[in-house]
Amino acid sequence: MTDENNQLKTTIKELLESARYNQQTQDRFYALELYFLEANSYELLIRRILTDLKRQLKLSQVELFLLDPQQETQQLISEIYGQLNYKNLIYTDSISEIKALYSGDIHLILSNEQHDIAKLGPGMSQSVALLPLRRGNHIIGSLHLGSRDQQRFHPGLGGEFLLHLGTMISVCIESSINQERYKHLSLVDLLTRAKNRRFFFQALATEIARSKRSKKPLSCLFIDIDHFKAVNDLHGHLTGDRALRCVADTIGPLLRQSDVLARFGGEEFTVMLPDCDLSHAKEIAERIRDKISHVDIANDNNQNFQLTVSIGVSYWQEDQQGFADSEAIQNHLISQADKGVYRAKEDGRNCVRVVEIVAVDNNKNPD
């Protein structure tokens, strides 16, 4: 009887420990699920999938394939965030590339076989899980997990947790892309695909704060198309729109990824140049001015004409120009660049000008 009681106690203890372990696993999963659902941007979600998931699940590799047939997602994200530099984020324009990973039928793969491990990039993985990402009946991508533990993802493992993880991540990815589309509409000029005025001011405030901390210079360009009203009057507004797009398309490749090009309004563009002193800002402005002046623009009759621009340059650095607060710095950058444009117009247009001011030291008391 004593032996039976001891055996019963042991069984109950094992059941309780198993239940406790299952509850802890379920709690961790719910926390992980909430962690992904709380990501309020595509950039943050991708970082949590590719970086944080690897750490939290103690994986050796995480790779994400996303189906993007028209490269729409890549263009959208690039216009909002620039290039996301993740080697383990792979976009593909063909479902056949994803099918090839699954050898045809797309379903959950758990394997410690070398031919499946080789489907991931170079790493130390000894077992892998390939999770199809679906929305409804459509494949949107594939999530690949690798572990150094050979038994972590063996074929006999129950895959319910991983399938649910794949479903949840699929929902998050689709939702975040839709949110970025709405964000894109509010922050990008739809005609030129440059950032809009609202985005420019948000980015400028961020860069001013960063420059104050780093003590690095910050420059701005104001670019105004010369005689643009005459373009609309002579060639029509459709050609005028084409000219605006052409100017934006010409400026973009001349900038760094960290720079911000925005359409400020009408025929005026702005460029924010982080970590760029006045000398380099003037060089960039001159390259832009020269490049635009040599671009042929076709009107509705397929006749080419050319444009010129007048550019004003402004500059600020924390240890050289003292201002009371960030708003004063912003006003300085905008007003001085705007004055530079007016000076360029006065000097005959198609030129770059800087209107410098004597810095005011706000820490000094008047005599």
Side-chain angles (χ1 to χ4, degrees), residues 7-65:
Q7 186 176 3
L8 180 60
K9 288 179 180 180
T10 300
T11 301
I12 293 173
K13 183 179 179 181
E14 290 174 350
L15 289 172
L16 289 173
E17 288 177 351
S18 177
R20 190 178 300 111
Y21 175 79
N22 289 337
Q23 183 63 49
Q24 290 173 348
T25 300
Q26 190 176 51
D27 290 344
R28 284 197 300 269
F29 172 74
Y30 284 145
L32 183 62
E33 186 177 55
L34 184 62
Y35 186 64
F36 286 120
L37 291 170
E38 286 177 339
N40 59 5
S41 72
Y42 181 86
E43 187 275 335
L44 179 58
L45 176 64
I46 294 299
R47 185 167 75 244
R48 288 185 174 185
I49 293 172
L50 296 179
T51 303
D52 298 350
L53 181 64
K54 179 180 177 181
R55 184 184 68 254
Q56 292 190 23
L57 296 186
K58 298 179 181 178
L59 301 168
S60 57
Q61 290 176 271
V62 176
E63 293 180 354
L64 179 63
F65 277 74

Side-chain angles (χ1 to χ4, degrees), residues 252-268:
L254 301 176
L255 304 177
R256 304 164 299 173
Q257 184 173 322
S258 59
D259 300 335
V260 174
L261 167 65
R263 185 181 176 198
F264 204 68
E267 66 270 26
E268 191 169 46

Side-chain angles (χ1 to χ4, degrees), residues 14-159:
E14 290 174 350
L15 289 172
L16 289 173
E17 288 177 351
S18 177
R20 190 178 300 111
Y21 175 79
N22 289 337
Q23 183 63 49
Q24 290 173 348
T25 300
Q26 190 176 51
D27 290 344
R28 284 197 300 269
F29 172 74
Y30 284 145
L32 183 62
E33 186 177 55
L34 184 62
Y35 186 64
F36 286 120
L37 291 170
E38 286 177 339
N40 59 5
S41 72
Y42 181 86
E43 187 275 335
L44 179 58
L45 176 64
I46 294 299
R47 185 167 75 244
R48 288 185 174 185
I49 293 172
L50 296 179
T51 303
D52 298 350
L53 181 64
K54 179 180 177 181
R55 184 184 68 254
Q56 292 190 23
L57 296 186
K58 298 179 181 178
L59 301 168
S60 57
Q61 290 176 271
V62 176
E63 293 180 354
L64 179 63
F65 277 74
L66 291 179
L67 187 61
D68 189 19
Q70 308 299 325
Q71 299 185 346
E72 177 190 356
T73 299
Q74 295 172 76
Q75 181 177 350
L76 174 71
I77 299 307
S78 176
E79 289 181 357
I80 297 174
Y81 298 106
Q83 193 69 31
L84 297 184
N85 295 316
Y86 292 102
K87 293 181 179 178
N88 47 348
L89 172 62
I90 302 101
Y91 294 98
T92 177
D93 59 5
S94 174
I95 187 67
S96 60
E97 186 173 350
I98 294 179
K99 286 182 177 180
L101 294 167
Y102 291 85
S103 301
D105 184 27
I106 300 178
H107 62 279
L108 175 65
I109 292 179
L110 303 172
S111 176
N112 49 21
E113 298 292 333
Q114 192 57 44
H115 69 275
D116 287 321
I117 295 173
K119 293 175 181 177
L120 276 67
M124 303 295 292
S125 297
Q126 298 297 313
S127 63
V128 296
L130 274 63
L131 286 65
L133 301 180
R134 303 176 187 270
R135 290 299 293 134
N137 296 322
H138 300 287
I139 294 291
I140 67 168
S142 181
L143 179 65
H144 306 160
L145 312 178
S147 172
R148 290 187 175 89
D149 182 356
Q150 190 176 25
Q151 298 303 311
R152 178 77 177 271
F153 299 121
H154 61 83
L157 179 72

Side-chain angles (χ1 to χ4, degrees), residues 236-274:
H237 287 276
L238 290 179
T239 298
D241 289 348
R242 195 178 304 122
L244 289 168
R245 286 193 293 268
C246 187
V247 168
D249 291 344
T250 301
I251 297 172
L254 301 176
L255 304 177
R256 304 164 299 173
Q257 184 173 322
S258 59
D259 300 335
V260 174
L261 167 65
R263 185 181 176 198
F264 204 68
E267 66 270 26
E268 191 169 46
F269 293 86
T270 57
V271 176
M272 183 179 66
L273 302 169

Side-chain angles (χ1 to χ4, degrees), residues 199-213 218 272 330:
F199 182 95
F200 175 78
F201 278 113
Q202 290 178 358
L204 183 58
T206 300
E207 286 303 330
I208 288 172
R210 184 178 290 120
S211 294
K212 289 179 74 173
R213 292 193 301 270
L218 176 62
M272 183 179 66
Q330 176 177 287

